[in-house]
Amino acid sequence: MPVTSATAPSGPLAALAGNAWLRFAARRLGRLLVSVWVLLTFAFLMIHLIPGDPVRAALGVSAPAELVEARREALGLNDPLWQQYADYLRGLLHGDLGTSMLTGLPVSQTIGERLPATVELAGLAFAGAALVSVPLGLLMAVLTRGGRRRPVELAFTSGSVVLAVVPEFLLAVGLVYVFSVELGWAPVAMRQGADSYVLPVLALAVGPAAILARILRVETLGVLQAEYVRTARAKRLPDPKVYLRHVLPNALTATITLGGLLLSTMVAGTVLVENVFAWPGLGGTIVGSILAKDYPVVQGVVLVYGLGVLLVNLLVDVALALLDPRSTIRES
């Protein structure tokens, strides 16, 4: 009888199946594309799920019927739903987010003028939270390991809990009252120089920094009990080398995951903080657009915020894969 031998598959599919990093990239890209499609569809349907006529609601009940009909025709709201969806996707591919009902300006222009201020504020706040929480969490773990220094541990855990539960806008109001109204050390509102960044950044960064520091302390305490740390100590390696080379990278995995979630919520938290400080970002834009019922602007801002969250999640996945590739790229 003829003997058949199994041959391994060859070609691009075989290369994809045999490379863990390519499979990881394919999975993440697939999830990203599906998430983006869901976000785009939700943003498109948002204006159609509003009860009544959104154009009439935006222009007011006293607006002439001819003006309402002309604005509906200009926005394409009289076309069939499938055609509106196709035109919406086609416009997004060309960078067209629609036109404001009130100002008549392109939504992309409005967002382009306001987005840099929001990204700058959220980026500075996250960088400040990371720069404070990582050394603080590591230091607290080293000082309180093995049940040492109970008063220090109690003060740290209690303080981090209190700071973590205070809402950003409430902290922002308190900072304005103390440092702007009473002491006069910082401007009350607006972006008027380097000192005007201090209070908004603090309002956004204090809570996430407290959470990250507490999580990093707990993770570091667990890593300090690992066998490879004991081996490093047995080899009489210097303490800074043990902490920075063996302890910190292994303790950062959960912290990076939580940090990505906090950065996503921090971007959303800028909405309230920007309104407290009259910051010229997307926060004031979306609140004003909601109050004025300028739905195309709201639609565009929601889309930008959603894409920002998806991008942050993708960067977190890549960072985890680079930091701990064995556990990340092997997941199903």
Side-chain angles (χ1 to χ4, degrees), residues 134-139 142 216 220 223-224 228-229 232-233 237-252 323:
V134 171
L136 180 60
L138 182 62
L139 177 63
V142 173
L216 183 60
T220 303
V223 173
L224 288 173
Y228 54 86
V229 176
R233 291 185 180 279
L237 294 178
D239 285 344
K241 191 173 184 179
V242 172
Y243 293 136
L244 298 179
R245 188 171 182 178
H246 298 278
V247 176
L248 185 58
N250 292 281
L252 280 178
L323 185 64

Side-chain angles (χ1 to χ4, degrees), residues 205-295:
V206 167
I211 297 174
L212 289 176
R214 187 171 184 181
I215 294 298
L216 183 60
R217 173 185 171 272
V218 173
E219 293 295 321
T220 303
L221 289 175
V223 173
L224 288 173
Q225 303 300 321
E227 189 66 30
Y228 54 86
V229 176
R230 297 177 184 175
T231 303
R233 291 185 180 279
K235 292 180 179 180
R236 298 185 180 277
L237 294 178
D239 285 344
K241 191 173 184 179
V242 172
Y243 293 136
L244 298 179
R245 188 171 182 178
H246 298 278
V247 176
L248 185 58
N250 292 281
L252 280 178
T253 304
T255 308
I256 290 177
T257 303
L258 181 61
L261 297 176
L262 289 177
L263 180 57
S264 301
T265 58
M266 190 179 294
V267 173
T270 57
V271 174
L272 297 177
V273 173
E274 286 180 3
N275 280 274
V276 172
F277 292 97
W279 196 261
L282 288 180
T285 301
I286 190 172
V287 171
S289 300
I290 292 174
L291 295 177
K293 300 180 181 179
D294 194 352
Y295 299 114

Side-chain angles (χ1 to χ4, degrees), residues 179-206:
F179 294 101
S180 297
V181 177
E182 294 293 329
L183 300 177
W185 291 355
V188 176
M190 298 299 293
R191 187 171 55 170
Q192 301 173 349
D195 54 349
S196 64
Y197 285 79
V198 176
L199 296 186
V201 170
L202 279 178
L204 281 174
V206 167

Side-chain angles (χ1 to χ4, degrees), residues 43-59:
F44 167 76
L45 293 176
M46 183 173 60
I47 195 172
H48 297 276
L49 296 177
I50 300 171
D53 188 350
V55 178
R56 170 62 70 181
L59 297 180

